Amino acid sequence: MSFDRKPEVRAEIEKLTHTKIVAGVPLHDSYLQMIAGVNENGAVITAKRQWLTIPTSAAGTRKASEIPGLFKPKGKNILAVDNGGELTVMFILKKSVKIPPRPFIWTTREKNRAKYARMVREGVIEIVRGKSTADILQHKLARTMANDIRITLRDFFEPTNAPLTVERKGKNDPLMDTGRLIGSITWTFLGSGE
């Protein structure tokens, strides 16, 4: 590095050290932040009123309020409809459900830690040589991190979905349902003051 490039290189390195890359669900989306948090750490969800209504495949994506003729048979923890004398179970009633941890962000970070460190080392060398900038390195790293999170989401199978969930979804893919979570994965940059 020539002596006259030192201030320029120092400024680029300073940018790197004062910027944090945050990859994952959008910071401003409280619903997706909650979904990510529940999946990262697991949770027990308890009914706010009397029951949680867990849909069966017969209910599909409908809410209980959207199904005419829905009733709770005496002594049973279900909501059903009467189809000519035969009950079709639409919801299972539970006091609480336990969602196991599926730490897709943590898994991605741990699995790719060495790759990200290598990318930073190689990027800094390119900056020193005058062939790159802090912005280029940060965007490349952020895109890679977001793509790696999407891959982890797509390939995450353990712990499996509950049997009722597998029946409703028609498959066992614990972190995939509507595609909203995987489609939201992005990145942002935070400065030292944020």
Side-chain angles (χ1 to χ4, degrees):
M1 167 175 54
S2 78
F3 182 73
D4 44 327
R5 278 200 25 82
K6 273 188 178 179
E8 182 183 320
V9 170
R10 184 173 289 129
E12 291 297 313
I13 300 301
E14 194 73 15
K15 269 191 209 175
L16 290 176
T17 60
H18 287 91
T19 304
K20 181 178 182 178
I21 299 170
V22 179
V25 297
L27 295 175
H28 64 275
D29 190 323
S30 59
Y31 174 76
L32 286 173
Q33 285 288 321
M34 180 272 301
I35 295 296
V38 165
N39 279 294
E40 282 293 311
N41 304 304
V44 174
I45 299 173
T46 304
K48 290 180 183 171
R49 295 187 184 164
Q50 190 170 4
W51 300 102
L52 293 171
T53 53
I54 313 302
T56 65
S57 58
T61 59
R62 295 177 292 175
K63 296 177 183 174
S65 61
E66 299 171 336
I67 301 173
L70 195 64
F71 71 101
K72 182 183 182 299
K74 188 173 182 159
K76 302 216 182 263
N77 291 337
I78 61 170
L79 293 178
V81 292
D82 185 347
N83 286 325
E86 197 171 306
L87 292 182
T88 301
V89 177
M90 303 299 250
F91 297 92
I92 306 295
L93 302 176
K94 294 197 170 238
K95 296 287 185 184
S96 66
V97 293
K98 182 178 181 181
I99 299 172
R102 294 181 177 103
F104 64 96
I105 294 173
W106 180 86
T107 300
T108 301
R109 185 184 68 225
E110 293 306 304
K111 180 180 171 186
N112 296 290
R113 186 182 296 268
K115 176 171 81 173
Y116 302 149
R118 185 183 70 249
M119 288 176 71
V120 170
R121 278 191 310 272
E122 291 169 359
V124 168
I125 290 169
E126 292 298 300
I127 290 169
V128 169
R129 291 179 177 162
K131 296 180 179 182
S132 191
T133 65
D135 287 341
I136 290 170
L137 173 56
Q138 289 167 337
H139 281 86
K140 180 179 178 184
L141 185 57
R143 276 192 308 276
T144 301
M145 293 166 78
N147 285 334
D148 288 344
I149 292 170
R150 287 185 201 102
I151 289 166
T152 302
L153 274 165
R154 187 193 68 216
D155 295 343
F156 210 106
F157 295 106
E158 292 292 331
T160 61
N161 281 127
L164 187 61
T165 305
V166 173
E167 177 198 337
R168 181 181 54 79
K169 289 169 75 172
K171 56 189 169 197
N172 178 41
D173 52 355
L175 293 170
M176 302 289 282
D177 197 6
T178 65
R180 184 174 172 196
L181 180 63
I182 196 168
S184 78
I185 300 302
T186 188
W187 69 85
T188 191
F189 301 113
L190 300 178
S192 57
E194 297 173 70

